[in-house]
Amino acid sequence: MQVGNGPDLDGAPWWWDAVCYQVDVGAFADVDGDGIGDLEGLRARLGYVELLGVDVIVLAGIAAQDPNTPELAGLLGEARDAGLRVLLSIDVDPARTDPGPLLRPWLDAGLDGFHLAPRNDPGDAVAAVLADYPDRIVIGSGTGNWHLLFGLDLAIAGFAAGPVQNAIDSVLAADAPRPAWAMASRDTSRIRDHAQLTPVRAMALVQLALPGAVCLRHGEELGLPGTERIRMPWEGDRAPFGFSTAPGDWPSIPDEWVEFTVEAQLEDPESTLSLYRHALEIRNTHPAFTGEGVEWFGAPEDCFAFRRVGSSLICALNTSAEPVPLPPGEVLLSSRPLDEGALPPGTAAWLA
């Protein structure tokens, strides 16, 4: 069964399959030592964002700031040099008749568009503003005149092959803007050991295999929970793990995150960060990652396998309690080591 259709991808716009990385600026990196992350902190860590392999940075938590600052100008300049687009997460009241005074200063400052929240439809007012700024976009949810439709359908479906397949079918069959798949709302308020990351890692491969854009939230690539504002753990053996030089006990940062820092994961080929980096590299470079819609194969109970229509990419997921045979093809990546050629429980794999 095939679900979803789309245009010929020759000449597709830059946002068509973009991987967006939302940075809660106040929780990402603190340069001035006041305990609150800042734009200069993000700028200092921009090399990490580039290394991760995303396409777009979404700035969250700065909409009340002045867009005409040297800090933002410097960040935008370095982001462009790194080939990164930059969006702003911002509230737009759906009852507002003229969002121009709110949006135009950011567009004039050089931002590439917005992730709107609350994400209800403010009519065509936002589209009218963007009409004066070519190549700028809006990510929204619900009903709206968006370029990309932000959706947590995969997160809501949980970790069960049937509901996940139904969620994918529903999104791709809808008469709606192109999907921007997100998994940022997880019920794992605290990750305390690597075994808990089995479904997180598997669903990351499902998310990144689908046609459409992807929205990640900072810390997600480390396997950290996405339901709360998380201070990014960078390095070291004690809180705040390089986030800030400000003194304090930092009770909101668990001591066990020492194993989940960027430093601890970067050189570990089995880490969640390495999985994300490898997956994003394959997604960006492998010729199999084309095609619109998905075609489902027969699969054992509590499992599924789909192929991107028009390509050779296959994604298989096993949410059962037993290993299952892999579909035929060359294994590109798996979320956990394979079991003598079989797909273990709680594992996803890409094949071509």
Side-chain angles (χ1 to χ4, degrees):
M1 178 181 67
Q2 177 179 338
V3 179
N5 296 290
D8 186 339
L9 286 185
D10 288 343
W14 62 264
W15 46 267
W16 194 250
D17 283 318
V19 177
C20 304
Y21 185 66
Q22 179 176 308
V23 172
D24 294 314
V25 174
F28 196 66
D30 169 31
V31 160
D32 61 16
D34 65 355
I36 301 172
D38 42 55
L39 287 173
E40 286 296 283
L42 170 55
R43 186 177 177 182
R45 299 287 187 174
L46 203 58
Y48 167 77
V49 180
E50 186 179 5
L51 186 70
L52 182 58
V54 300
D55 306 298
V56 180
I57 300 173
V58 181
L59 303 175
I62 68 162
Q65 297 182 19
D66 181 358
N68 300 304
T69 63
E71 291 79 11
L72 181 62
L75 174 65
L76 292 177
E78 291 195 20
R80 289 191 193 98
D81 290 343
L84 294 164
R85 302 273 184 160
V86 182
L87 307 182
L88 177 72
S89 179
I90 192 170
D91 289 352
V92 173
D93 188 336
R96 192 187 312 273
T97 57
D98 182 12
L102 181 65
L103 303 183
R104 288 183 187 277
W106 294 99
L107 295 169
D108 291 337
L111 269 79
D112 295 289
F114 304 97
H115 184 177
L116 298 186
R119 306 174 187 94
N120 296 313
D121 185 3
D124 292 326
V126 171
V129 174
L130 264 67
D132 295 331
Y133 298 86
D135 211 25
R136 313 296 175 88
I137 71 161
V138 174
I139 303 174
S141 64
T143 57
N145 189 14
W146 321 125
H147 297 83
L148 293 169
L149 182 64
F150 179 88
L152 291 166
D153 304 78
L154 294 180
I156 294 169
F159 191 60
V164 173
Q165 179 174 343
N166 291 338
I168 293 170
D169 282 346
S170 177
V171 170
L172 293 181
D175 182 16
R178 186 163 181 80
W181 306 95
M183 286 290 298
S185 289
R186 297 195 290 269
D187 59 4
T188 51
S189 59
R190 286 289 170 91
I191 297 289
R192 296 199 176 270
D193 62 68
H194 290 276
Q196 291 177 264
L197 293 175
T198 295
V200 173
R201 293 167 62 101
M203 288 303 296
L205 293 196
V206 173
Q207 176 188 23
L208 290 167
L210 291 166
V214 170
C215 291
L216 306 177
R217 189 174 181 180
H218 88 245
E220 193 170 348
E221 75 279 13
L222 302 179
L224 299 177
T227 56
E228 55 188 90
R229 194 178 184 195
I230 296 169
R231 293 179 176 89
M232 189 74 166
W234 293 102
E235 66 242 347
D237 58 3
R238 64 187 64 187
F241 300 116
F243 164 73
S244 173
T245 58
D249 294 334
W250 298 95
S252 64
I253 304 180
D255 291 338
E256 58 266 26
W257 280 11
V258 66
E259 298 182 13
F260 291 88
T261 65
V262 171
E263 179 183 52
Q265 296 198 43
L266 201 55
E267 301 302 325
D268 177 3
E270 303 302 321
S271 71
T272 301
L273 175 57
S274 292
L275 177 71
Y276 268 90
R277 288 184 61 204
H278 196 181
L280 290 171
E281 180 183 13
I282 294 173
R283 190 180 192 269
N284 288 333
T285 60
H286 199 284
F289 281 77
T290 58
E292 298 302 298
V294 300
E295 182 179 31
W296 299 98
F297 298 107
E301 187 176 359
D302 295 324
C303 302
F304 69 56
F306 66 79
R307 180 178 65 87
R308 286 273 291 266
V309 174
S311 82
S312 62
L313 176 69
I314 296 173
C315 179
L317 174 69
N318 179 8
T319 64
S320 75
E322 301 293 334
V324 297
L326 277 170
E330 174 194 359
V331 177
L332 302 179
L333 188 63
S334 60
S335 62
R336 291 293 189 195
L338 300 180
D339 182 5
E340 297 182 349
L343 191 65
T347 306
W350 290 348
L351 305 97

